[in-house]
Amino acid sequence: MRAARMARQALSAVSENKTRTLLMMLGVIIGVATLTIIASSVLGARGMVMEKVEKFGLDQIMIMAGAGRKPGVPQPIPTTLRVEDGQAIESEVPNIKDVSPQINRRDYLVKYGAKSSYGVLVAANPNWSAVWNTAAESGRFLSEEDRTRLARVAVIGKTVVRDLFEDEDPIGKQVLLGNNPFEVIGVLEPRGTSATGVDMDSRVIIPLSTGQKRVFNQEYLAMIKVALQDPSRMDQTVADVRALLRERHNLPQGLEDDFTIVTPTQVMSLASKVSTTFSLFLVLVSAISLIVGAVVIANIMFIAVNERKGEIGIRRAVGATKNDILSQFLFEAVTIALLGGVIGAALGIVGLKGLAFLMKAPMAAMWQPIALALLSAALVGLAAGIQPARAAANLNPIEALR
Amino acid sequence: MIEVRNLEKVFQKDQSEVRVLEDISLTIGEGEFVSIMAPSGMGKSTFLNILGCLDKPSSGTYILDNVPVHEMNDDELSHIRNKKFGFVFQSFHLLPRMTAWENVTLPLIYSEADANMKAKAVQVLEAVGLGDRVDHLPRELSGGQQQRVAIARALVNDPRIILADEPTGNLDSKSGQEIMGIFKKLHGEGRTLIVVTHDREVALLSDRIIEMKDGRISSDRPTAQALTEVAL
Ligand SMILES: Nc1ncnc2c1ncn2[C@@H]1O[C@H](COP(=O)(O)OP(=O)(O)OP(=O)(O)O)[C@@H](O)[C@H]1O
Ligand SMILES: [Mg+2]
């Protein structure tokens, strides 16, 4: 009760001089607002990357044809990656669960009557569905028979369905891939956008054999996705696969790989490295505003203590202990800082909403960074208030009353 | 109830020492009304502050209700101020942003009593004739009214000793009369009053007049006796 009464005293002092209180809060407001935005967006971005990586499969590696492909730089795809490579990996390297070879083309024209759509054409084996964790939502996926018969059948994504069929049921319809007629046998369950911004629902899957002989006229592959039995032994398996492929491709020592192996850890570490540098910089910004905020609060508190000497003297005369005075001023400082923290967090949430609107990406305010921001605000108040509060408590009551 | 022996107070001023109280011994009993008179700068306020446990003597003993106060620490002194003393100052010392009743509750904030603070404050304000000024701010009150709020604040914890340092010093004579009326009443209730004053009329209300000179008590007599001496 005594504490509650004293808290009320402190609050009335805070509301007394509003301009000054606002000035004291400013640094904390800026610091907490930036902290909220930064932490939420960094955490959000990291979460998004992790989600993508997990969809990619934590127990899988990808072998792409060609050495380290640079984004935006068109390079000829080498013709060395072959179905036999995949078979050799499956039979000779330990720890392999499944191997899914494929050829793909972006922006491939798909037509149905007068309507057309540009999709990603993927020629793959029936096990693609399991390895890519993408099943047929309606109809069926490719079968072993489709493969051996070189069947002209296709399983298509939702975007293609929307572009070509509107309300019609696509199953059993004939579409044109290039000039080849294909029968739609299934629709893929939706998968959204990939980490690299490709619409995964624009994919059109046909049998690998059909693609090789009837569409692309090529034997070589674009990539092989390999699922592992034990993901904890990934490093060893990647080394084995690499050694095997180099041997099969007759690459002498000193010549670089004509393929690229991508692992989920690579993707993750890249993502976290980028966001760590970014967040470090921004944390610095908010730390500086919080420190400036603390210095401002401390200075104004010193002025206030000096101005309120009389009040301190009276309170001491009617029975306030040094501790009572210390608590009162400390409580004031923490209240002001926390108030600044709450306003800052609110501004941060508004800022996040604005960013989300501008960048057309979801940016959720997260409770952890907000809790962290409020905690730092309280700490700023404590750190800033302790010296002025001590000075107030140690004032000689006689001097204070003079 | 109050017993001081060989009280000495020395202020450290830069390099030099200022010996304000040299050797003061006196006893004040329960229910006495004592006035302290002396020229300016003779150490009246210093002495009153020591009696009120706001300041500590440099040497000597101070026994209050059989307890050696000069040995107490800061927290214990704060507690004693809260429980046993009510202070009234020349310049009122009200908190300007608080209403009359809020100012009066100040001692209650620092005591354990958990009663309805506002009701108690209003009751005391009524007792000093300010029942209709409860919600006023100090700047909305006259000097005399402000001093009565200060007296109400001094009384709200029901202390047995009231210490006043020139309580009428800043007031016109009519307001001073009102304050003196209240003091008379408090004396009648059996409280102990110790009043520092330059005002003869205030001193005449008291039982006993103490005069100080050069850090010592130069005269300590019943008021009646002092009166007859003046009359002679
Ligand atoms: N903190 C201090 N440091 C140094 N000297 C002090 C201090 N406090 C009081 N004094 C000195 O002690 C002396 C007595 O002061 P005090 O205020 O007790 O006098 P007083 O009798 O109450 O005077 P007045 O009637 O003017 O109020 C003065 O000379 C004053 O300058
Ligand atoms: Mg004085």
Side-chain angles (χ1 to χ4, degrees):
Chain A
M1 254 333 268
R2 185 179 160 128
R5 289 195 296 254
M6 282 168 43
R8 212 168 312 135
Q9 297 281 306
L11 282 182
S12 79
V14 168
S15 58
E16 167 70 4
N17 194 333
K18 296 202 173 58
T19 323
R20 174 181 286 186
T21 302
L22 194 71
L23 187 67
M24 289 168 86
M25 291 190 306
L26 210 56
V28 179
I29 291 177
I30 295 170
V32 167
T34 45
L35 200 63
T36 305
I37 292 178
I38 295 156
S40 288
S41 53
V42 166
L43 276 181
R46 184 175 294 181
M48 247 147 73
V49 169
M50 296 300 268
E51 198 184 314
K52 292 261 152 76
V53 169
E54 264 158 38
K55 255 191 205 157
F56 169 93
L58 286 171
D59 58 346
Q60 297 182 332
I61 60 176
M62 272 206 266
I63 303 158
M64 330 277 279
R69 291 194 295 179
K70 296 178 188 74
V73 182
Q75 281 167 303
I77 295 176
T79 59
T80 45
L81 194 65
R82 307 221 149 225
V83 173
E84 294 74 25
D85 288 332
Q87 287 163 349
I89 290 170
E90 195 162 14
S91 59
E92 289 175 38
V93 178
N95 192 29
I96 303 295
K97 189 159 80 186
D98 212 344
V99 169
S100 172
Q102 70 178 56
I103 304 171
N104 36 271
R105 288 278 192 287
R106 284 195 188 196
D107 302 320
Y108 205 86
L109 182 64
V110 188
K111 285 203 282 197
Y112 175 66
K115 298 205 186 81
S116 62
S117 174
Y118 286 92
V120 180
L121 184 59
V122 178
N125 284 332
N127 69 347
W128 182 93
S129 175
V131 174
W132 285 83
N133 190 25
T134 307
E137 189 184 60
S138 57
R140 63 174 180 86
F141 197 71
L142 305 176
S143 69
E144 195 52 34
E145 204 194 331
D146 296 330
R147 189 178 77 83
T148 49
R149 282 197 309 119
L150 276 64
R152 288 194 168 96
V153 290
V155 186
I156 62 179
K158 285 259 158 154
T159 306
V160 182
V161 174
R162 203 177 322 116
D163 287 350
L164 300 185
F165 294 101
E166 286 178 9
D167 298 334
E168 260 181 281
D169 181 6
I171 311 288
K173 300 283 171 359
Q174 291 267 323
V175 295
L176 283 179
L177 296 176
N179 290 322
N180 296 306
F182 276 74
E183 184 191 344
V184 177
I185 56 166
V187 175
L188 293 169
E189 57 186 356
R191 273 292 175 269
T193 313
S194 78
T196 45
V198 177
D199 178 6
M200 304 293 264
D201 296 331
S202 73
R203 288 181 297 188
V204 174
I205 319 292
I206 60 173
L208 178 59
S209 50
T210 315
Q212 284 173 319
K213 298 270 165 16
R214 300 190 167 172
V215 181
F216 301 123
N217 246 325
Q218 70 178 51
E219 286 296 317
Y220 61 90
L221 302 171
M223 61 187 266
I224 302 173
K225 194 163 186 179
V226 179
L228 309 189
Q229 272 159 5
D230 178 4
S232 68
R233 287 193 286 141
M234 180 164 293
D235 290 348
Q236 181 57 48
T237 308
V238 167
D240 292 346
V241 167
R242 179 161 180 250
L244 179 69
L245 287 180
R246 284 189 67 89
E247 187 196 313
R248 290 182 55 84
H249 294 184
N250 295 317
L251 295 173
Q253 253 202 326
L255 205 69
E256 66 171 350
D257 295 346
D258 60 355
F259 55 89
T260 308
I261 300 179
V262 180
T263 66
T265 36
Q266 271 175 340
V267 177
M268 262 191 295
S269 71
L270 186 70
S272 67
K273 201 183 284 172
V274 170
S275 61
T276 308
T277 321
F278 182 64
S279 42
L280 217 65
F281 165 71
L282 289 168
V283 161
L284 209 68
V285 172
S286 65
I288 288 170
S289 348
L290 286 177
I291 290 169
V292 169
V295 171
V296 170
I297 290 178
N299 275 294
I300 298 183
M301 287 292 285
F302 270 119
I303 296 171
V305 167
N306 201 43
E307 278 180 4
R308 287 159 63 187
K309 267 187 179 175
E311 173 188 335
I312 295 164
I314 296 159
R315 287 181 187 275
R316 295 281 277 136
V318 302
T321 61
K322 286 186 176 188
N323 234 326
D324 290 335
I325 302 294
L326 183 93
S327 320
Q328 181 190 341
F329 280 88
L330 213 51
F331 190 89
E332 276 185 40
V334 171
T335 303
I336 287 172
L338 260 181
L339 221 61
V342 170
I343 295 173
L347 282 180
I349 291 169
V350 170
L352 276 171
K353 288 249 156 38
L355 272 179
F357 180 76
L358 284 178
M359 296 168 66
K360 296 192 168 55
M363 289 231 194
M366 300 196 181
W367 71 266
Q368 300 98 321
I370 291 176
L372 174 79
L374 290 182
L375 186 73
S376 14
L379 287 177
V380 163
L382 270 182
I386 189 76
Q387 285 308 328
R390 273 219 189 105
N394 287 329
L395 267 181
N396 181 346
I398 309 288
E399 308 265 334
L401 279 171
R402 210 185 292 275
Chain B
M1 71 186 323
I2 287 175
E3 199 182 335
V4 296
R5 287 285 163 264
N6 311 112
L7 215 62
E8 190 187 38
K9 182 67 183 180
V10 182
F11 286 112
Q12 218 70 38
K13 187 87 178 176
D14 302 325
Q15 248 71 316
S16 64
E17 286 185 344
V18 187
R19 193 170 299 269
V20 180
L21 304 179
E22 297 232 358
D23 180 12
I24 296 208
S25 299
L26 105 144
T27 308
I28 297 173
E30 176 98 46
E32 270 197 89
F33 185 168
V34 179
S35 50
I36 300 174
M37 301 186 81
S40 188
M42 282 297 153
K44 305 182 295 293
S45 298
T46 303
F47 182 46
L48 199 71
N49 288 336
I50 292 173
L51 288 182
C53 298
L54 267 170
D55 204 357
K56 284 180 140 186
S58 306
S59 69
T61 58
Y62 174 11
I63 312 289
L64 173 67
D65 294 331
N66 303 317
V67 181
V69 165
H70 58 274
E71 289 171 2
M72 285 187 172
N73 67 27
D74 199 89
D75 284 357
E76 290 167 327
L77 293 176
S78 299
H79 186 72
I80 289 206
R81 288 198 295 272
N82 185 254
K83 288 281 162 263
K84 301 202 171 182
F85 293 105
F87 289 90
V88 180
F89 304 95
Q90 179 172 356
S91 49
F92 325 138
H93 281 320
L94 299 176
L95 297 190
R97 60 188 153 86
M98 290 187 177
T99 62
W101 77 264
E102 286 171 330
N103 264 289
V104 173
T105 57
L106 214 54
L108 297 177
I109 289 168
Y110 301 106
S111 70
E112 286 72 33
D114 225 1
N116 184 339
M117 296 202 299
K118 181 164 186 183
K120 209 163 174 187
V122 170
Q123 187 192 329
V124 186
L125 279 169
E126 277 164 358
V128 297
L130 285 176
D132 54 347
R133 295 287 190 278
V134 166
D135 291 315
H136 286 234
L137 289 171
R139 66 178 140 79
E140 298 163 347
L141 298 170
S142 74
Q145 289 168 334
Q146 288 186 51
Q147 192 62 303
R148 281 189 277 160
V149 173
I151 293 172
R153 179 180 65 195
L155 292 174
V156 73
N157 245 346
D158 201 21
R160 280 163 51 229
I161 309 168
I162 304 293
L163 302 175
D165 195 345
E166 301 185 35
T168 58
N170 281 9
L171 301 178
D172 58 51
S173 65
K174 185 177 165 290
S175 302
Q177 296 285 340
E178 287 169 0
I179 301 302
M180 290 193 291
I182 294 169
F183 279 7
K184 228 187 316 194
K185 201 173 100 193
L186 294 176
H187 182 42
E189 289 169 1
R191 286 183 222 265
T192 307
L193 270 73
I194 304 173
V195 181
V196 166
T197 188
H198 291 293
D199 188 339
R200 278 193 63 84
E201 292 200 47
V202 175
L204 289 178
L205 283 178
S206 63
D207 307 327
R208 175 179 167 193
I209 298 175
I210 293 168
E211 290 175 68
M212 291 170 59
K213 194 162 194 288
D214 301 330
R216 291 164 197 273
I217 290 174
S218 58
S219 142
D220 181 354
R221 322 168 268 194
T223 307
Q225 193 184 334
L227 265 182
T228 49
E229 275 171 29
V230 170
L232 281 172

